[in-house]
Amino acid sequence: ETGVTQSPTHLIKTRGQQVTLRCSSQSGHNTVSWYQQALGQGPQFIFQYYREEENGRGNFPPRFSGLQFPNYSSELNVNALELDDSALYLCASSFRTTWDEQYFGPGTRLTVT
Amino acid sequence: AQRVTQPEKLLSVFKGAPVELKCNYSYSGSPELFWYVQYSRQRLQLLLRHISRESIKGFTADLNKGETSFHLKKPFAQEEDSAMYYCALSGIRGTSGSRLTFGEGTQLTVNP
């Protein structure tokens, strides 16, 4: 069984740039959720994808967007980066859309300068 | 709106002492509650969920709907319990998916 993987591990971008983060879900899982974790805070829900469609979104602006592919891997795209976007971005996969254990990846550390 | 509050950012106990990590929630329906743990240099992982009523690594948590609490307890803390603990809530099936609303976390340190 392969766990959730994320790439890259670390990333440094300049304000105004765009970034793409990637996530491979655990084998057999069809739901991927993305979370933003600022320093000293708990993870905050960005959005979730189920069978390639968005299945819920948190309180994040439209410049945060995502995709899920037929193999259930996923991307998180952030446009017009702001300094406050600096955070750890976590991806989690699960089999069903509700009440299932979510398996987290190691995260991508994004720094915006 | 869903909200999870963990009033203690830091908690320090001695090995063998009882430990209780507090969690209060705000939710209009019947929530699913979880405790997640992150050990040093490891990824976030599920410790326990209230619906399974299991004891994991000696930890238990009881959902108190009257007090809207889901405190995590262990009678005798071990040094390997030192970690960051997050309480989390999941909403009603079909409305918010399995999104998790996390508290800010409590860093537990168990001293020898």
Side-chain angles (χ1 to χ4, degrees):
Chain A
E1 186 177 85
T2 305
V4 178
T5 60
Q6 292 185 242
S7 63
T9 305
H10 297 92
L11 202 54
I12 300 175
K13 289 287 189 178
T14 303
R15 189 171 50 184
Q17 286 187 314
Q18 178 266 341
V19 69
T20 297
L21 310 182
R22 295 178 175 82
C23 170
S24 291
S25 60
Q26 182 158 317
S27 176
H29 288 176
N30 57 12
T31 302
V32 174
S33 302
W34 285 92
Y35 296 83
Q36 180 195 66
Q37 187 174 21
L39 200 60
Q41 304 293 317
Q44 189 172 359
F45 177 77
I46 302 175
F47 44 56
Q48 181 184 91
Y49 279 84
Y50 172 60
R51 293 187 174 178
E52 303 178 56
E53 293 195 0
E54 190 177 286
N55 183 46
R57 188 180 183 92
N59 189 27
F60 280 81
R63 59 189 186 84
F64 285 78
S65 62
L67 282 173
Q68 187 180 32
F69 300 100
N71 66 354
Y72 304 125
S73 65
S74 178
E75 287 182 355
L76 164 65
N77 299 289
V78 187
N79 294 321
L81 284 167
E82 301 177 359
L83 297 179
D84 285 348
D85 295 334
S86 294
L88 181 69
Y89 288 85
L90 296 169
C91 167
S93 74
S94 57
F95 181 66
R96 296 194 307 269
T97 55
T98 55
W99 293 348
D100 258 2
E101 176 179 345
Q102 295 199 3
Y103 292 79
F104 282 83
T108 293
R109 174 72 63 188
L110 172 65
T111 301
V112 182
T113 62
Chain B
Q2 328 184 159
R3 186 178 180 88
V4 176
T5 303
Q6 295 180 250
E8 302 144 326
K9 278 198 173 290
L10 302 171
L11 185 61
S12 182
V13 300
F14 286 102
K15 177 183 173 181
V19 62
E20 180 179 68
L21 291 85
K22 291 184 169 52
C23 171
N24 289 92
Y25 68 89
S26 173
Y27 187 66
S28 57
S30 293
E32 172 77 359
L33 274 298
F34 305 81
W35 277 97
Y36 276 78
V37 61
Q38 187 166 26
Y39 300 102
S40 179
R41 299 189 184 86
Q42 294 187 27
R43 62 186 65 188
L44 196 59
Q45 59 186 287
L46 179 67
L47 178 63
L48 58 79
R49 55 196 301 176
H50 94 269
I51 200 168
S52 63
R53 297 184 177 276
E54 290 179 306
S55 172
I56 307 295
K57 299 185 178 182
F59 284 98
T60 59
D62 290 321
L63 178 60
N64 186 324
K65 292 186 178 181
E67 296 183 357
T68 59
S69 68
F70 188 57
H71 303 328
L72 183 68
K73 300 176 184 180
K74 185 169 182 177
F76 307 104
Q78 303 298 315
E79 289 180 69
E80 55 265 30
D81 296 329
S82 296
M84 178 67 85
Y85 291 81
Y86 294 96
C87 181
L89 176 155
S90 178
I92 298 172
R93 185 190 301 269
T95 59
S96 60
S98 58
R99 71 173 70 184
L100 292 171
T101 298
F102 285 88
E104 293 193 349
T106 297
Q107 178 67 51
L108 173 65
T109 302
V110 181
N111 299 298

